[in-house]
Amino acid sequence: MDSGKASDRIRWLQSELSRHARLYYEKDQPEIEDADYDALFRELQDLEARFPEFSTPDSPTRRVGSAPARQFAQVVHNVPMLSLQNAMDDSEFLAFDERVRKALGLQSVDYVVEPKIDGLSCEIVYRDGVLVQASTRGDGQVGEDITANVRTIKDVPQRLKALSFNAEPGLFDEVSPPLPELFEARGEIYMPTEPFRQMNQERLDAGMSAFANPRNAAAGSVRQLDPAVTASRPLRFFAYTVGRLDDREILSQRDLLRRLREHGFQVSSLIRPARGAAEVLDAFKRLGSERDSLPFEIDGAVVKVDSFELQRELGEISRSPRWAIALKFPPRREKTVVNRIVVQVGRTGVLTPVAELEPVKVGGVMVRRATLHNIQEIRRKDIRIGDVVEVQRAGDVIPEVVRPVISERDGNETIFNMPDRCPSCLEPVAGRQDEIAWRCTNISCPAQFREHVIHFASKRAMDIEGLGERMADLMIEAGLIHEISDIYALTVTQISALDRMGDKSAAKLVAAIEASKRRPLAALINALGISLVGETTARDLASNFGSLAALAAASTEDLRQVQDVGPIVATSIFDFFQSRRNLDLIERLRQAGLTMMNESAAGGGPFEGKSFVFTGSLQKMTRDKASDLVISLGGKVSGSVSRGTSFVVAGSDAGSKLAKARELGVAVISELDFLAMAGADA
Ligand SMILES: [Zn+2]
């Protein structure tokens, strides 16, 4: 492709991807499948890598993977981000309204009633329409710089939309309307309820702790040192105000909300104007009745005096505006009894204790079960079977046991201990009473088997195309597979007998299964689903040990020599290879003909004995691909620079690792040098 064509294509892809992101996130009306979106996205990434001169700072690809901040720099807010006074009930609001009317000498005041989203306040600064900085509220005066992370939130415009003129067609064709020199949008970063629930489940499955509520999840996701982590979290943004405002056309909160929308921000459709206190309380009541059907969590309403002139007249008091107040919903907390504590088995075998409660209505929703998260939480809160407990819908979403009511104990309550055996397969479980994550390590546990099959066949593991959730269910129902290794014994006849499977697609699936035998060692390690071992750790393990046999024989001390493998991960890997069943499975996979070592480990390679560290962004290939290349040539890839590092490959925007390499006198090479060494085409 020549550079003219590439430029056109890049520009087209950038605008198409932005449009699809808008359709998906703003309108909930996606036009294309996620997979097609991903394909366009990857095409853009590749083209921008080949023609970096056409990559722009606001490209959709820049929403992920910018250089991680080492820590959060401080940002001084131009205009302090004030906190609000609270009204806990109607009478406190009426008192507020009376103070406002008295101060202004008015009979009635026009307000705007906005839902109070349970998230994290944020300021996003645009210069000449381009996003340049984002920061947390902090203490109101000084916040934290979270620019790279906020860029990954698809609701947040990278560039403000220009305002459209209501002029005769043709008149302004050549002149695009000006964008404000400075625009400081403020609003709430939040995580919608359903993705929050899903994310928590995934975290529990991976043996990580769950977030208590969507607000914590949003805050935790935004304050990540690696923007790629933030990008992977389902965050959204609602704008509701600005910092400094230079536009004299904007005279009220309603004008301002309209302007925010015109600039491309999400503004809540639940916002309502209200003439006088009675209408405010009506609107508040309506919000309360809509609350449970909303896709995100709100904990009340924010009521603002609409007119900016009146706002100025009222002023502020001790960092709170006199013209606004937060009207809070009453807490949703009830008392009930813990009848039993049961244990659920998650995807990777994590055991989660769950309280079975005497059914109780909390905030209009019948609650029968509540997660107790883990044994440590149970101990910390001292929750016992038979206790009267307070239950709340945490972040008002997931029912949570807040605390036992000690005064109601009669001595018949019993202390809960984690079971010795998995409730699904009755195999012994791994865990100690003082540990957070308990798990069933039996790879053939029925509760985990289906999920194992799906994980094993997934793209980043064995990459068996055609073996997804539906096919896994069909195969398990038909009794074709009982163990992971059974996948390799499947025949075209068996598969084509399954529901609506033709010979042709059955043959395709068998071919995909056959091809998966040659997947690299790292993929196989990932596919085994060792708890706490994800794709990255699997790659590190593959490059360090070279074969599955060596990994299986490694002591926890050996394992801890691997970059980023701490004591907990090391123990998890070690335990995995102590299980007879797991070793049997591996043996069966070996007999099925799977590659169980790095190709280079078998015959040596040009990079044998050499270790590489990548820093900055590469232009010609992704870091993953570069890592695979090193490993395929017998070398090792490490995440940090040490005296033992052979080469640091510095891409653009290389940061601290480059400095460290210079300090230690480690050889620094460019991406092109690296490709030449690897004998790869530049
Ligand atoms: Zn089990």
Side-chain angles (χ1 to χ4, degrees), residues 422 425 440 445 448:
C422 167
C425 66
C440 169
C445 173
Q448 304 167 47

Side-chain angles (χ1 to χ4, degrees), residues 345 349 351 421-429 439-448:
V345 188
L351 306 182
R421 289 176 181 274
C422 167
S424 173
C425 66
L426 306 179
E427 283 286 302
V429 299
R439 59 183 63 248
C440 169
T441 54
N442 170 13
I443 200 168
S444 303
C445 173
Q448 304 167 47

Side-chain angles (χ1 to χ4, degrees), residues 185-199:
R186 289 176 178 184
E188 204 80 355
I189 296 170
Y190 67 99
M191 193 178 287
T193 320
E194 185 50 32
F196 163 73
R197 209 188 50 73
Q198 274 173 20
M199 191 189 77

Side-chain angles (χ1 to χ4, degrees), residues 7 11 143 240 264 391 397 429 536 565 633:
S7 161
R11 237 178 305 157
Y240 49 67
V391 175
V397 183
V429 299
T536 311
V565 171
L633 295 171

